[in-house]
Amino acid sequence: MTPTPPRSSRRQRALVPVLVSTCMLVAVVSSLGAPLIPAISIEDHVSPSGAQWSLTVTLLVGAVTTPAMGRLGDGPRRRQAILLGLTGVGAGSLLAALPLGFGWLIAGRALQGVGMGLVPLAIATARDALPAERARSSVAVLSLTTSVGVGLGYPLTGLLAQVLGLYAAFWFAAAAAAAAWAAAFMVLPPPPQRPAHRMDVLGMLLLTVGMGGMLLALSQAELWGWSSARLLVLAGVSLVVLAWWVVHESRTSHPLVNVRLIRDRTVLVADLTTMVGGVGMYLLMSSVTRFVQTPRSAGYGFGGSVLVTGLALVPFSAASLAAGRLARALTRRMPLAGLLPLGGLVSLAAMLCFTFLRGSLFGVFVAMALAGLGVGLNFAATPGLIVTAVPVHETGSAMSFNQVAKYIGYSTGSALAAAVLQAYTAPGGSLPSDAGFSAIGALGCGVGAVTALASLPLIRSRHCGARDGLTAGLPRQQAWRAHGTSPLPRAADTSPTRGSGT
């Protein structure tokens, strides 16, 4: 008779599927608003640029709450933080599902953004709870769920909206969040015992005000005028607040985000390429959803339904998934850092394809596939680069900052796409001219080029010389754990509490 496996063994086997499902849910929920933007604009009688906030606000809240969630994840309250994040997703989904008006929809989408901080918590959980070999592969899979899930969210939204109505996708998200909460409650292990510290509330407020002000200025620039006094004042105040946030985070004993980690060249370049790549990703996605649904009477577009729009983005998800396997094969012949400029060049090719071949659905499919491949290579490389460059006790904080950079890029790309298309919309009109999409294509080409160029200096970095880059960081991390040392010569490392997680 075969002995029954112990309960702890069954829970550990179920941990990775539960973590992957949770991260996939977060990615799907984050993308729910994009294909619905034209429908929301008509249903709630708001401009397309205003309806774009149903996507942007989720990404903005994700950028703000992710570091707070990451800090909780570095301490003894990680399990509670994950359950709290899933509760926010469920509550926001219910609020967005109810036909209460545009304001309540935005509030619900903002609550859903709380869940976007779950990705670094899932990565930290996998690192702490799994054996070394399993942890490596699990972290690589979890790092790709954002791009894969976004691609799955679009066709899912389209199918539900076309068959069951505008709000059906949000009802689905509420049910999925409830199921994920129950699974996480049963499977999540207790975190390692680490000291708890006071949450950096001031840092969270400064980041919220600074980022929110910058995105509002970007989204309203065309309406207010690029040289209007209130736009310049809002942008200037927001920059001052963000600068204050950086100074505050570098001086406080227990920061929301340990910005001192960015002094390491590997971490800096990884975060920069993640942010810039995120801008390009949402520039393209926001544009494609608008372009495909534009009626042919406008002189361009395909007049596609929400479902067709979602299906047009499936190649992005498939290519993102394939990028994980491709990354592992490539790093047997090149440093892990080499994936970053390669991903930037592929993203540049995607934007070129959208610029010149968007006249056919096939051209859109190819552009999205190339975009998924480029983004996938970037997102597959950055977690491994960061893990090799930071001490073990800062993994959660460093990964959460990378997520912040990603979500800042996402929200900026979303707001920027709306601003550019609004600039090419005639006064009193509802549809931009085709030249607006060409402008976005040119802007996206610049973003891809910047991503590639910014990462070139990292290839010769001392952190990135290993051939099997996706697994190179583990021996170094094991050595740090054994000897209690850190690769970063920071004063914070000499203190038992300074710079540690909450």
Side-chain angles (χ1 to χ4, degrees), residues 29-30 53-63 109-110 112-113 116:
V29 166
S30 72
W53 274 94
S54 63
L55 175 64
T56 304
V57 72
T58 308
L59 305 173
L60 172 61
V61 173
R109 291 289 290 157
Q112 287 178 328
M116 296 184 72

Side-chain angles (χ1 to χ4, degrees), residues 155-256:
L156 177 64
T157 301
L159 178 62
L160 292 173
Q162 183 160 318
V163 175
L164 299 174
L166 177 62
Y167 300 101
F170 299 119
W171 285 113
F172 169 81
W181 192 99
F185 182 82
M186 291 186 291
V187 170
L188 287 176
Q193 291 302 312
R194 292 177 182 138
H197 300 290
R198 185 175 64 251
M199 179 60 67
D200 179 19
V201 177
L202 177 59
M204 185 183 299
L205 290 175
L206 292 174
L207 182 59
T208 302
V209 173
M211 276 301 303
M214 288 300 298
L215 290 176
L216 180 61
L218 184 60
S219 64
Q220 297 299 311
E222 184 63 25
L223 179 63
W224 294 351
W226 289 94
S227 59
S228 66
R230 58 176 169 173
L231 180 73
L232 296 177
V233 169
L234 178 59
V237 170
S238 300
L239 287 173
V240 170
V241 171
L242 288 175
W244 182 10
W245 175 74
V246 172
V247 173
H248 169 77
E249 295 298 288
S250 64
R251 292 180 177 178
T252 189
S253 298
H254 307 296
L256 186 69

Side-chain angles (χ1 to χ4, degrees), residues 124-139:
T125 300
R127 245 186 89 70
D128 287 335
L130 298 175
E133 186 65 31
R134 237 186 127 196
R136 288 197 293 267
S137 59
S138 298
V139 167

Side-chain angles (χ1 to χ4, degrees), residues 351-442:
M351 282 298 187
L352 286 171
C353 187
F354 176 72
T355 302
F356 297 107
L357 301 178
R358 65 178 183 273
S360 68
L361 273 175
F362 177 76
V364 173
F365 290 163
V366 173
M368 294 311 303
L370 288 172
L373 185 60
V375 170
L377 289 173
N378 187 310
F379 290 175
T382 49
L385 292 170
I386 292 171
V387 165
T388 62
V390 301
V392 173
H393 70 273
E394 288 287 5
T395 299
S397 180
M399 288 307 302
S400 70
F401 188 82
N402 184 254
Q403 292 296 316
V404 171
K406 184 183 296 183
Y407 296 150
I408 288 175
Y410 287 175
S411 53
T412 302
S414 174
L416 187 57
V420 172
L421 293 180
Q422 184 63 34
Y424 282 85
T425 301
S430 60
L431 296 174
S433 67
D434 188 48
F437 294 97
S438 297
I440 284 181

